[in-house]
Amino acid sequence: MRRSCAPLLPTLLLLLVGVPDVAPAAEPAAIAPLRPPAVPLVAVDPYLSVWSTADRLHDGETRHWTGRQHTLRGLVRIDGRAYRVMGAEPRDVPAMPQVGVDVTPTRTVYTFEAAGVRLALTFLTPVLPDDLDLMTRPVTYVAWRAASTDGKPHDVSAYLSAGGELAVNDERQAVVARREQIGDLTALVIGSADQPVLRSKGDDHRIDWGYLYLTAPAAAGAAIGDDLALAKAFANDGKLPAADDARFP
């Protein structure tokens, strides 16, 4: 049974903001859009490394650079209807059409549009060579931004989950999970039960010591439990279970 940690981001009410007319700029020379063989999502180091190898973020599961599945899952609800934006599951939830992806040295931004809303999902890893303290921080920031495209207000909420396999070399390894409160943030924490520091090696290897922290503002809903059960709960009701389920096989 695959386990996940999932914070539910708070609902947003969206309004279209008018932009004044400006003179059209000269058309730049056409440049074919970049389509990397693998798109970086979490690109901190060889261990904390998650990529999308699909043409669209919702076409397949996210993966470690070695090819093993490292599940990040993203859903949104717009006016009560659920859409899938990251990952191939739940398959009965329709995919929100992806209209763009932009990859820069520190950011990847995916853009989706449906139901009168444009959604931007940004992954930011601040690997800036002029700030070594910031560069060595093992953190990727995930930001959701939504805007109305039809001039109407919309009720939008977002869901992000991370699978326990991000914290182990082999998904058959036992994991433990807990939640912590860090200031005004809720942290869902997952890691291997044995914590075998430096006991294994190899090229086809993922980290199996230390802990993955998935954090969100304390006002957001959060839960630990079965991967698909959490995703379906959000898709169906816009809510997460009231209690964590950390019973791991």
Side-chain angles (χ1 to χ4, degrees):
M1 181 181 295
R2 191 182 302 279
R3 294 289 170 172
S4 288
C5 303
L8 171 61
L9 303 190
T11 297
L12 305 173
L13 289 178
L14 308 172
L15 293 174
L16 181 68
V17 178
V19 179
D21 293 335
V22 296
E27 289 292 333
I31 300 176
L34 173 66
R35 169 53 177 97
V39 177
L41 305 176
V42 179
V44 173
D45 57 43
Y47 286 133
L48 189 54
S49 176
V50 185
W51 302 70
S52 173
T53 57
D55 285 335
R56 295 169 297 186
L57 188 57
H58 46 58
D59 282 349
E61 302 293 3
T62 56
R63 299 187 177 277
H64 188 261
W65 69 265
T66 58
R68 297 287 187 93
Q69 185 171 321
H70 269 195
T71 306
L72 295 177
R73 207 168 300 292
L75 304 171
V76 295
R77 281 172 58 95
I78 302 173
D79 300 327
R81 183 179 181 186
Y83 295 88
R84 177 167 44 85
V85 297
M86 179 165 53
E89 298 285 354
R91 292 193 178 274
D92 57 349
V93 175
M96 189 174 184
Q98 180 180 312
V99 297
V101 58
D102 184 29
V103 181
T104 73
T106 59
R107 293 188 308 163
T108 293
V109 183
Y110 282 94
T111 309
F112 307 86
E113 285 190 16
V117 171
R118 178 181 296 113
L119 175 74
L121 177 56
T122 301
F123 298 85
L124 169 64
T125 305
V127 283
L128 304 175
D130 61 344
D131 188 334
L132 295 183
D133 289 338
L134 185 61
M135 186 176 184
T136 56
R137 182 183 299 171
V139 172
T140 289
Y141 300 91
V142 182
W144 303 81
R145 183 176 181 181
S148 174
T149 60
D150 59 8
K152 301 176 182 178
H154 295 279
D155 184 8
V156 180
S157 55
Y159 168 98
L160 172 70
S161 68
E165 68 267 28
L166 270 74
V168 291
N169 176 50
D170 189 312
E171 65 176 17
R172 294 171 295 182
Q173 290 177 262
V175 295
V176 293
R178 65 182 186 274
R179 67 170 60 211
E180 296 181 4
Q181 205 65 35
I182 305 173
D184 59 354
L185 297 175
T186 294
L188 304 178
V189 186
I190 196 165
S192 64
D194 294 334
Q195 291 293 307
V197 180
L198 298 176
R199 295 183 198 168
S200 58
K201 61 183 179 180
D203 291 331
D204 183 15
H205 192 277
R206 289 139 300 278
I207 199 163
D208 53 5
W209 65 87
Y211 295 89
L212 172 72
Y213 280 69
L214 187 64
T215 64
I224 299 169
D226 175 66
D227 177 27
L228 290 182
L230 294 179
K232 289 181 178 180
F234 171 78
N236 293 336
D237 304 319
K239 299 178 181 178
L240 295 175
D244 293 334
D245 180 5
R247 296 171 299 170
F248 298 102

